[in-house]
Amino acid sequence: MDAMAKTSTTTQGLRAAIERSGYYPALVAEAVEAAVGGEPVRSYLVHQETTFDQNEVRRHVTVLVLTDTRFLVSHTDEQAADSTSPTPYATTSTESVKIGRISSVVVSRVVANPEKYTPGTLPREVVLTVGWGAVSRLDLEPAACGDPNCDADHGYTGSSTADDLSLRVSEAGDGPETVREALAFAQAVSEATATATADSAR
């Protein structure tokens, strides 16, 4: 399959995945396709999640798209009628990040019975965290010295973690195919950032 045919197939697959989610597909697809523009789609991940907010059930969908130059995040939420709107409504946002700006790609895997693990077995759960510097989480704690009797103020110590996007999928909640797709997408993003870093170093 040549590059153009593969790109067409990937783009069609993205549209089909959005339609399969059943979550306002016309709205979501229009927002994603406008953000992608004319760029080829290299990889994608569509994830729908249902949350419970007091007595309300809310759904939202996240669509992640990797092109040759950008990492795109689209998020759509539905809202109940409120003081600003007499009818239920949905909000859709898209963010476009240059691949070269991505500073970290973290893939956390949860594996059952690790002593019996065999290569290729799907994790029970996958958390994909991508950071590009827009949002950072700062964890601080009081600093201490090695003297257990010391009561001096040593200030604080901590760590800063890029946390722009965090997406969790599980085999129980989303199915094995979604877990497999999340791993494939994470690998594609990691490879794209590695290539971008190598190109910038030349």
Side-chain angles (χ1 to χ4, degrees):
M1 182 182 294
D2 60 32
M4 186 173 294
K6 184 176 181 181
T7 296
S8 176
T9 301
T10 306
T11 302
Q12 292 170 2
L14 170 60
R15 182 64 185 252
I18 291 172
E19 290 176 354
R20 271 197 311 274
S21 76
Y23 185 87
Y24 308 123
L27 173 65
V28 174
E30 182 179 55
V32 170
E33 289 168 2
V36 170
E39 277 200 275
V41 173
R42 292 174 56 179
S43 186
Y44 61 86
L45 179 64
V46 178
H47 181 247
Q48 182 185 318
E49 188 173 7
T50 301
T51 57
F52 299 91
D53 183 9
Q54 296 179 351
N55 295 328
E56 294 182 356
V57 178
R58 290 188 177 178
R59 299 178 302 158
H60 55 268
V61 67
T62 302
V63 181
L64 309 179
V65 181
L66 182 67
T67 72
D68 288 335
T69 62
R70 296 178 297 152
F71 173 70
L72 304 171
V73 181
S74 176
H75 193 79
T76 303
D77 280 294
E78 63 182 2
Q79 307 289 339
D82 56 26
S83 59
T84 65
S85 174
T87 60
Y89 61 98
T91 57
T92 300
S93 64
T94 56
E95 182 170 5
S96 173
V97 181
K98 289 183 179 178
I99 291 176
R101 282 187 54 204
I102 295 177
S103 55
S104 66
V105 179
V106 182
V107 182
S108 301
R109 304 171 186 231
V110 178
V111 178
N113 302 314
E115 71 281 359
K116 298 178 181 177
Y117 178 79
T118 56
T121 303
L122 278 180
R124 186 173 66 190
E125 181 179 309
V126 171
V127 179
L128 170 62
T129 305
V130 182
W132 55 88
V135 178
S136 294
R137 185 178 69 249
L138 191 63
D139 296 318
L140 294 176
E141 61 183 26
C145 66
D147 182 356
N149 299 316
C150 178
D151 59 0
D153 184 355
H154 295 285
Y156 289 86
T157 183
S159 61
S160 177
T161 307
D163 196 18
D164 295 296
L165 170 78
S166 187
L167 187 74
R168 173 185 171 273
V169 298
S170 68
E171 187 175 21
D174 304 293
E177 188 58 32
T178 302
V179 174
R180 191 174 289 107
E181 290 169 356
L183 288 172
F185 183 80
Q187 181 175 346
V189 174
S190 293
E191 291 173 353
T193 56
T195 301
T197 301
D199 289 344
S200 65
R202 290 174 184 167

